[in-house]
Amino acid sequence: MVFDWTRRVIGRRDFVKSAAATSLGAGIFSPLAAMASNDLRPTRIESYRALGRTGLKISDISFGSSRLRMGDEGIVRHAFDCGVNYFDSAETYTGGESETVLGKALAGKRDKVFLTSKTITTPDSNRDSIMAALEGSLRRLGTDHVDVYFQHACNDVARLKNPEWYEFAGRAKQQGKIRFTGVSGHAGRLHESLDYAIDSGKFDVILCAYNFGQDPRFYQRFLRGFDFVALQPELPRIVAKAHDKGVGVIAMKTLMGGRINDMSPYQKDGATFPQAAFRWVLSNPNVNALIVTMTSPATVDEYVGASGATALREGDPDLLSRYAAANSSSYCRIGCGVCESSCPAGVAIGEVLRSRMYALDYKDRDLAKREYALLSANAAACLECSSRACAGACPYGLETERLAESTHRMLA
Ligand code: SF4
Ligand code: SF4
């Protein structure tokens, strides 16, 4: 049976503090959910969802830490006080500072939270180097274990086939340093990598880019009048498969770029664009939770305000449609990769444009430069490219030849 969750648009009074409001996967709109006033918008996490077969029950809105800096401990503590219990990190975030901040902020609370970290591996990484990376993260986090340890930004199935990873994971689990393993993906060959990870049965969790702007059903349902082409039926399929197999699904990049547009004229009844975007993600019963970078106590409050959602609210489709209309022709769909075969130099155009998103949409030039520096196929070739062979290759109308070159000039 296909559950058409995209059509589940409920009224503004959907935040009732009732178990009925969080009945996941039932596919039934609860009349009780329509009784709550918008004034009852939660300031605390309202829903903890099972993370696949792991048995962890994590806050549906969880903490992304990619931009944490020393001094940001108060943001973490505020999120904890609001009921957030899942804190995502990675060794590369702010050069390790992020993990240190999390460790300090959550000292004494370790038994009340789930902590994760990630490491970037290659097909040739050996078990000892991966273990050394994990131990560095544990030191910075001030803990003896992480609940989920991810292969970070996986863009190559060869990385997932490396037997050294499994040797490492087996040993680390035996030593109590990790409980579960996962794969995170927001880069090239996303679908291939996630399919492999899920089918292998060796990973417990996937963390993948997923938002309304990547989902064909959003365009079919709400934007019929626009000349958009939605090419990513793969992501909903992969997320559904993961769910069916008991693999936990956490969504990231849920804001379709999180561009700083002024959406306030269209925000009604106190609901904001991020909350609408989160409701889109959480209304897919195959998604267990989402992580989002929280940069201030105010953003924590705003984001946590969408907790407990299992459907869109009345004004959400309009809000999301307006955002998509404003940004669709400049937003690179993470994991798409359609244009990349057109480039004779093998530039990883999607990954280049993801770094551009950090710089221009998130306004975080440091993060963008760090991520750009990690790319093995950056846009240096664009500086000398006379063919401009990628021009016109993006079905969404992105001027890849111009954007890739200017990204290189900005971030190299
Ligand atoms: S530029 Fe267009 S075709 Fe290329 S990866 Fe991004 S969305 Fe896909
Ligand atoms: S401008 Fe040339 S080198 Fe750059 S991505 Fe396009 S085809 Fe490749």
Side-chain angles (χ1 to χ4, degrees):
M1 185 185 92
V2 176
F3 175 63
D4 187 2
W5 51 270
T6 62
R7 292 176 185 275
R8 299 181 64 230
V9 180
I10 67 175
R12 62 190 281 267
R13 298 167 180 272
D14 60 335
F15 281 112
V16 68
K17 293 182 177 178
S18 154
T22 57
S23 56
L24 292 176
I28 298 168
F29 169 62
S30 163
L32 272 179
M35 298 300 292
S37 157
N38 194 43
D39 298 338
L40 293 180
R41 194 172 45 160
T43 54
R44 285 189 56 80
I45 291 294
E46 293 287 296
S47 177
Y48 296 88
R49 298 179 172 189
L51 182 59
R53 60 180 174 239
T54 66
L56 310 184
K57 296 249 325 187
I58 71 170
S59 44
D60 58 354
I61 308 280
S62 283
F63 196 95
S65 67
S66 65
R67 295 161 75 183
L68 280 184
R69 290 287 190 188
M70 290 299 181
D72 286 343
E73 290 81 358
I75 304 170
V76 180
R77 289 195 195 103
H78 184 64
F80 175 82
D81 290 343
C82 289
V84 174
N85 73 346
Y86 181 94
F87 294 83
D88 174 88
S89 192
E91 62 178 347
T92 54
Y93 291 166
T94 54
E97 213 170 298
S98 168
E99 290 177 323
T100 305
V101 172
L102 278 179
K104 281 173 67 185
L106 296 172
K109 302 179 173 69
R110 182 65 186 91
D111 59 335
K112 297 181 179 63
V113 297
F114 301 115
L115 282 178
T116 78
S117 193
K118 318 185 193 76
T119 188
I120 294 176
T121 64
T122 71
D124 304 319
S125 296
N126 65 55
R127 66 192 80 176
D128 294 333
S129 65
I130 307 173
M131 185 66 84
L134 168 65
E135 287 169 351
S137 290
L138 295 180
R139 259 195 313 280
R140 287 185 292 276
L141 287 165
T143 184
D144 60 358
H145 74 282
V146 286
D147 295 284
V148 191
Y149 197 54
F150 289 89
Q151 279 211 26
H152 192 182
C154 190
N155 59 1
D156 186 355
V157 170
R159 287 171 53 182
L160 300 173
K161 289 182 175 171
N162 179 357
E164 291 289 305
W165 166 268
Y166 302 99
E167 293 289 342
F168 149 77
R171 204 193 316 167
K173 281 184 184 174
Q174 213 169 34
Q175 295 172 358
K177 293 174 181 167
I178 60 177
R179 295 176 67 192
F180 302 101
T181 56
V183 172
S184 81
H186 51 193
R189 301 202 189 101
L190 176 65
H191 308 148
E192 205 181 325
S193 300
L194 293 178
D195 267 329
Y196 181 88
I198 295 163
D199 292 338
S200 75
K202 292 176 177 164
F203 293 91
D204 308 294
V205 183
I206 59 169
L207 167 62
C208 64
Y210 179 60
N211 62 56
F212 65 98
Q214 291 171 295
D215 193 324
R217 281 172 288 186
F218 175 74
Y219 296 96
Q220 287 157 10
R221 176 75 176 89
F222 299 120
L223 293 176
R224 281 210 183 90
F226 290 78
D227 185 22
F228 290 159
V229 185
L231 277 179
Q232 293 192 287
E234 289 295 81
L235 269 176
R237 175 190 65 74
I238 288 167
V239 164
K241 179 169 75 170
H243 183 262
D244 288 348
K245 291 184 178 253
V247 175
V249 177
I250 302 178
M252 63 174 163
K253 308 280 189 295
T254 52
L255 295 173
M256 193 184 165
R259 200 154 292 178
I260 315 293
N261 295 304
D262 184 9
M263 300 299 291
S264 54
Y266 314 111
Q267 297 181 161
K268 295 190 183 120
D269 302 328
T272 66
F273 162 72
Q275 291 173 346
F278 298 159
R279 281 191 283 272
W280 174 272
V281 169
L282 294 176
S283 66
N284 182 342
N286 297 320
V287 174
N288 300 136
L290 64 87
I291 57 167
V292 57
T293 301
M294 300 188 187
T295 53
S296 67
T299 58
V300 173
D301 290 337
E302 179 186 3
Y303 295 168
V304 167
S307 178
T310 58
L312 293 179
R313 292 169 59 180
E314 200 170 282
D316 290 347
D318 179 57
L319 201 49
L320 298 179
S321 300
R322 286 180 188 277
Y323 181 93
N327 299 297
S328 190
S329 62
S330 57
Y331 171 68
C332 176
R333 276 72 176 166
I334 288 170
C336 160
V338 165
C339 59
E340 291 178 4
S341 59
S342 68
C343 173
V347 172
I349 299 171
E351 299 201 39
V352 168
L353 299 188
R354 179 167 57 85
S355 298
R356 182 183 182 88
M357 175 182 77
Y358 295 141
L360 300 184
D361 297 351
Y362 292 16
K363 309 278 186 224
D364 191 334
R365 197 65 69 103
D366 289 345
L367 172 65
K369 286 190 167 183
R370 279 197 307 277
E371 290 290 321
Y372 194 73
L374 293 173
L375 300 185
S376 52
N378 72 22
C382 301
L383 302 178
E384 308 291 331
C385 176
S386 54
S387 75
R388 298 306 208 208
C390 66
C394 173
Y396 301 98
L398 272 71
E399 294 176 63
T400 48
E401 69 285 10
R402 180 179 62 79
L403 297 174
E405 180 180 342
S406 67
T407 301
H408 186 77
R409 291 189 191 283
M410 174 171 56
L411 300 178

